[in-house]
Amino acid sequence: MVLIVGGPAANGVDEKLAEITRYRLVKIVHKVFPDGESYVRYPVPVEGEDVVIVQSLYAPQDKHFLELLLMIDAALDLGAERVIAVVPYLAYSRQDRMFLEGEAVSVRTILKTLRNLGTYAFITVDIHKEYSLKHFGERAYNVTAMEEIAKHIKKQFPDLENPLVLSPDKGAIIHASRAAKVLNSEYDYLEKERDRVTGEIRVKPKELSVNGRDAIIVDDIISTGGTIALAATSVLKQGARRVIVGCTHPLLIGDAREKLRKAGVNYLVATDTIPSEYSKVTVAPVIAKLLKKIL
Ligand code: R5P
């Protein structure tokens, strides 16, 4: 049998996964001791079962990571057959290499730890760089939410005017291409340039013009909002009709919301990998599809 175990940071993805897959849902018993230490307990026997643990790594990410380790180790200790870690938002994924000599490659530490603990498979959503999955080894999977985000935008905006899907940089163009397929539209990536007279930094689509069109900007993460704010102001100056933004992981740190509003973003949608008022798209269906294939 397969059990879907919802961790303290599952953000409802566990419930939706159980609903779609019809696997049994188990909520982990969780508390925090007065000194801040976490405690978890399985309320049902897991011996001989395939245990799918859902725990996202949004803030406080270190605590949520430790809770994930406790849940994995306890399940194996209790005789679970296989443990699958479903981590909708993988924290630390942007520190994917040594940018400066001597730095920790944080995503490697996270994935190695999960593997070494005995995790059978690892699933995440729109990981910052897919090559990071190699640190887990075999059976590490990344699914994308971009099609789901694009479907949502299509439904919300039946009046899209010659849409152009844009990624904030070349490295993220895969997100734009995936969304564009659903929207049946063109896509491009934004490139930075400096105004020779004013010194102002702005971004521009590499090949196409955004003038008179609806700009749909997609990215994996919105953190401080700086990247999307610059993209939105720039494309609006270049004549974009509206700016619609879709992102998988809405970290939205500090005044990110205000920054996006001031930049003229007309609409923002994100997924439930991280809780926020914009998390209207669920990643459960794409994870469920993969789970059915693996198990
Ligand atoms: C960068 O490579 C990521 O894909 C995001 O574009 C970035 O993390 C967004 O950060 P911020 O919202 O702070 O500009």
Side-chain angles (χ1 to χ4, degrees):
M1 219 167 65
V2 181
L3 301 178
I4 302 278
V5 174
N11 193 35
V13 174
D14 53 338
E15 288 156 24
K16 289 175 196 132
L17 255 186
E19 205 180 302
I20 300 170
T21 58
R22 301 192 171 270
Y23 295 142
R24 181 177 169 200
L25 175 67
V26 175
K27 288 281 190 186
I28 201 84
V29 176
H30 160 251
K31 64 182 177 184
V32 178
F33 288 111
D35 60 0
E37 290 177 5
S38 295
Y39 163 102
V40 300
R41 183 175 68 83
Y42 283 88
V44 298
V46 298
E47 193 175 351
E49 314 284 20
D50 281 335
V51 174
V52 177
I53 300 174
V54 185
Q55 172 85 339
S56 204
L57 297 186
Y58 49 81
Q61 43 281 72
D62 297 359
K63 189 157 200 54
H64 289 154
F65 181 55
L66 193 80
E67 288 163 354
L68 174 61
L69 300 183
L70 296 177
M71 289 186 283
I72 294 169
D73 195 43
L76 290 169
D77 187 49
L78 293 164
E81 179 71 23
R82 296 182 290 189
V83 171
I84 291 105
V86 172
V87 180
Y89 170 61
L90 180 65
Y92 291 102
S93 64
R94 282 170 293 173
Q95 184 68 25
D96 57 13
R97 56 198 163 96
M98 211 188 276
F99 298 95
L100 292 176
E101 187 60 29
E103 283 179 343
V105 180
S106 313
V107 72
R108 185 185 61 212
T109 312
I110 300 278
L111 291 174
K112 266 172 75 180
T113 307
L114 294 178
R115 186 198 59 200
N116 292 342
L117 204 52
T119 311
Y120 172 78
F122 170 82
I123 301 174
T124 191
V125 184
D126 287 325
I127 189 170
H128 188 59
K129 289 281 188 296
E130 275 212 52
Y131 62 66
S132 301
L133 292 174
K134 69 170 187 265
H135 299 304
F136 184 86
E138 269 179 70
R139 296 185 298 274
Y141 308 92
N142 178 55
V143 291
T144 180
M146 282 302 150
E147 281 97 359
E148 299 298 309
I149 290 173
K151 280 186 216 160
H152 173 94
I153 292 174
K154 200 173 177 179
K155 209 164 150 198
Q156 288 293 313
F157 295 92
D159 61 337
L160 282 179
E161 193 72 47
N162 191 13
L164 175 60
V165 184
L166 296 163
S167 63
D169 54 56
K170 196 176 178 181
I173 194 149
I174 180 75
H175 302 313
S177 82
R178 283 170 173 157
K181 215 171 183 182
V182 174
L183 292 162
N184 201 12
S185 68
E186 291 186 303
Y187 66 95
D188 200 351
Y189 67 90
L190 292 163
E191 225 180 22
K192 258 191 191 145
E193 62 175 29
R194 185 184 291 273
D195 187 302
R196 289 214 189 119
V197 182
T198 62
E200 182 202 356
I201 304 261
R202 59 183 176 219
V203 288
K204 239 184 117 203
K206 170 81 176 150
E207 304 285 349
L208 304 169
S209 167
V210 75
N211 192 19
R213 309 174 72 171
D214 279 323
I216 298 169
I217 306 173
V218 291
D219 205 359
D220 58 341
I221 300 173
I222 299 180
S223 181
T224 65
T227 305
I228 295 291
L230 175 65
T233 347
S234 302
V235 298
L236 282 169
K237 273 191 192 155
Q238 289 150 35
R241 183 172 168 251
R242 287 181 297 196
V243 177
I244 298 158
V245 175
C247 89
T248 308
H249 311 297
L251 285 173
L252 299 170
I253 307 300
D255 64 349
R257 291 166 174 81
E258 181 63 5
K259 248 187 235 166
L260 298 179
R261 198 187 55 75
K262 277 193 184 150
V265 171
N266 297 86
Y267 186 81
L268 168 62
V269 64
T271 79
D272 54 359
T273 61
I274 297 178
S276 85
E277 67 276 37
Y278 303 104
S279 306
K280 301 210 172 95
V281 171
T282 179
V283 293
V286 286
I287 296 175
K289 208 166 155 192
L290 175 65
L291 260 184
K292 286 278 181 189
K293 240 191 250 172
I294 301 175
L295 294 171

mmCIF file of all heavy atoms in Angstrom, residues 7 18 44 49 95 114 126 128 153 173 229 239 253-254 265 284 294:
data_model
loop_
_atom_site.group_PDB
_atom_site.id
_atom_site.type_symbol
_atom_site.label_atom_id
_atom_site.label_comp_id
_atom_site.label_asym_id
_atom_site.label_seq_id
_atom_site.Cartn_x
_atom_site.Cartn_y
_atom_site.Cartn_z
ATOM 1 N N GLY A 7 3.626 16.386 5.896
ATOM 2 C CA GLY A 7 4.481 16.971 6.926
ATOM 3 C C GLY A 7 3.960 18.330 7.350
ATOM 4 O O GLY A 7 2.986 18.837 6.773
ATOM 5 N N ALA A 18 -3.413 13.079 -2.311
ATOM 6 C CA ALA A 18 -4.170 11.907 -1.854
ATOM 7 C C ALA A 18 -5.507 11.835 -2.588
ATOM 8 O O ALA A 18 -5.970 10.753 -2.972
ATOM 9 C CB ALA A 18 -4.376 11.980 -0.348
ATOM 10 N N VAL A 44 0.007 6.078 12.556
ATOM 11 C CA VAL A 44 -0.435 4.754 12.067
ATOM 12 C C VAL A 44 0.807 3.929 11.751
ATOM 13 O O VAL A 44 1.877 4.488 11.495
ATOM 14 C CB VAL A 44 -1.295 4.877 10.774
ATOM 15 C CG1 VAL A 44 -2.572 5.660 11.026
ATOM 16 C CG2 VAL A 44 -0.493 5.503 9.643
ATOM 17 N N GLU A 49 4.966 -0.477 4.092
ATOM 18 C CA GLU A 49 4.261 0.439 3.181
ATOM 19 C C GLU A 49 5.249 1.293 2.382
ATOM 20 O O GLU A 49 6.373 1.538 2.830
ATOM 21 C CB GLU A 49 3.367 1.428 3.972
ATOM 22 C CG GLU A 49 2.537 0.818 5.057
ATOM 23 C CD GLU A 49 1.327 0.053 4.536
ATOM 24 O OE1 GLU A 49 1.327 -0.328 3.347
ATOM 25 O OE2 GLU A 49 0.402 -0.189 5.323
ATOM 26 N N GLN A 95 22.005 27.934 -4.598
ATOM 27 C CA GLN A 95 23.445 27.778 -4.316
ATOM 28 C C GLN A 95 23.839 26.416 -4.904
ATOM 29 O O GLN A 95 24.000 25.433 -4.191
ATOM 30 C CB GLN A 95 23.694 27.846 -2.805
ATOM 31 C CG GLN A 95 25.164 27.782 -2.398
ATOM 32 C CD GLN A 95 25.991 29.003 -2.807
ATOM 33 O OE1 GLN A 95 25.470 30.076 -2.985
ATOM 34 N NE2 GLN A 95 27.285 28.823 -2.975
ATOM 35 N N LEU A 114 19.597 13.615 1.989
ATOM 36 C CA LEU A 114 18.357 12.848 1.774
ATOM 37 C C LEU A 114 18.672 11.450 1.254
ATOM 38 O O LEU A 114 18.114 10.455 1.710
ATOM 39 C CB LEU A 114 17.441 13.583 0.789
ATOM 40 C CG LEU A 114 16.869 14.923 1.280
ATOM 41 C CD1 LEU A 114 16.024 15.569 0.194
ATOM 42 C CD2 LEU A 114 16.038 14.740 2.540
ATOM 43 N N ASP A 126 10.045 22.418 -10.526
ATOM 44 C CA ASP A 126 10.816 23.525 -11.090
ATOM 45 C C ASP A 126 12.043 23.866 -10.241
ATOM 46 O O ASP A 126 12.179 24.983 -9.726
ATOM 47 C CB ASP A 126 9.917 24.763 -11.297
ATOM 48 C CG ASP A 126 8.976 24.566 -12.473
ATOM 49 O OD1 ASP A 126 9.383 23.924 -13.466
ATOM 50 O OD2 ASP A 126 7.813 25.040 -12.396
ATOM 51 N N HIS A 128 15.728 24.950 -9.454
ATOM 52 C CA HIS A 128 16.420 26.075 -10.095
ATOM 53 C C HIS A 128 17.289 25.622 -11.267
ATOM 54 O O HIS A 128 17.249 26.214 -12.339
ATOM 55 C CB HIS A 128 17.228 26.844 -9.046
ATOM 56 C CG HIS A 128 17.789 28.101 -9.594
ATOM 57 N ND1 HIS A 128 16.986 29.092 -10.128
ATOM 58 C CD2 HIS A 128 19.059 28.516 -9.761
ATOM 59 C CE1 HIS A 128 17.749 30.064 -10.575
ATOM 60 N NE2 HIS A 128 19.002 29.744 -10.371
ATOM 61 N N ILE A 153 -3.593 31.089 -16.474
ATOM 62 C CA ILE A 153 -3.577 32.421 -17.111
ATOM 63 C C ILE A 153 -4.560 32.445 -18.288
ATOM 64 O O ILE A 153 -5.318 33.395 -18.470
ATOM 65 C CB ILE A 153 -2.139 32.793 -17.545
ATOM 66 C CG1 ILE A 153 -1.266 33.005 -16.294
ATOM 67 C CG2 ILE A 153 -2.118 34.035 -18.431
ATOM 68 C CD1 ILE A 153 0.203 33.237 -16.552
ATOM 69 N N ILE A 173 14.631 30.265 -20.148
ATOM 70 C CA ILE A 173 13.767 30.259 -21.348
ATOM 71 C C ILE A 173 12.930 28.979 -21.467
ATOM 72 O O ILE A 173 11.845 28.992 -22.050
ATOM 73 C CB ILE A 173 14.586 30.527 -22.633
ATOM 74 C CG1 ILE A 173 13.604 30.857 -23.772
ATOM 75 C CG2 ILE A 173 15.500 29.363 -22.980
ATOM 76 C CD1 ILE A 173 14.114 31.780 -24.798
ATOM 77 N N ALA A 229 10.275 43.047 -11.224
ATOM 78 C CA ALA A 229 9.939 44.481 -11.250
ATOM 79 C C ALA A 229 10.674 45.163 -12.405
ATOM 80 O O ALA A 229 10.078 45.934 -13.158
ATOM 81 C CB ALA A 229 10.291 45.127 -9.918
ATOM 82 N N GLY A 239 6.028 49.441 -24.519
ATOM 83 C CA GLY A 239 4.700 49.428 -25.143
ATOM 84 C C GLY A 239 3.840 48.217 -24.847
ATOM 85 O O GLY A 239 2.798 48.039 -25.494
ATOM 86 N N ILE A 253 9.819 38.013 -0.582
ATOM 87 C CA ILE A 253 10.521 38.501 0.612
ATOM 88 C C ILE A 253 10.335 40.014 0.767
ATOM 89 O O ILE A 253 10.370 40.754 -0.219
ATOM 90 C CB ILE A 253 12.043 38.196 0.496
ATOM 91 C CG1 ILE A 253 12.298 36.710 0.201
ATOM 92 C CG2 ILE A 253 12.802 38.651 1.735
ATOM 93 C CD1 ILE A 253 11.795 35.734 1.207
ATOM 94 N N GLY A 254 10.180 40.459 2.000
ATOM 95 C CA GLY A 254 10.135 41.895 2.333
ATOM 96 C C GLY A 254 9.057 42.627 1.559
ATOM 97 O O GLY A 254 7.883 42.259 1.597
ATOM 98 N N VAL A 265 2.836 45.539 -12.508
ATOM 99 C CA VAL A 265 2.371 44.164 -12.772
ATOM 100 C C VAL A 265 0.846 44.122 -12.609
ATOM 101 O O VAL A 265 0.315 44.519 -11.576
ATOM 102 C CB VAL A 265 3.056 43.164 -11.798
ATOM 103 C CG1 VAL A 265 2.425 41.784 -11.899
ATOM 104 C CG2 VAL A 265 4.552 43.095 -12.083
ATOM 105 N N ALA A 284 -0.140 19.549 -7.370
ATOM 106 C CA ALA A 284 -0.491 18.149 -7.070
ATOM 107 C C ALA A 284 -0.699 17.287 -8.331
ATOM 108 O O ALA A 284 -0.185 16.158 -8.377
ATOM 109 C CB ALA A 284 -1.713 18.100 -6.154
ATOM 110 N N ILE A 294 6.160 6.064 -10.952
ATOM 111 C CA ILE A 294 7.262 5.508 -10.157
ATOM 112 C C ILE A 294 6.815 4.308 -9.344
ATOM 113 O O ILE A 294 7.532 3.327 -9.181
ATOM 114 C CB ILE A 294 7.814 6.571 -9.166
ATOM 115 C CG1 ILE A 294 8.322 7.800 -9.907
ATOM 116 C CG2 ILE A 294 8.928 5.994 -8.315
ATOM 117 C CD1 ILE A 294 8.757 8.892 -8.943
#
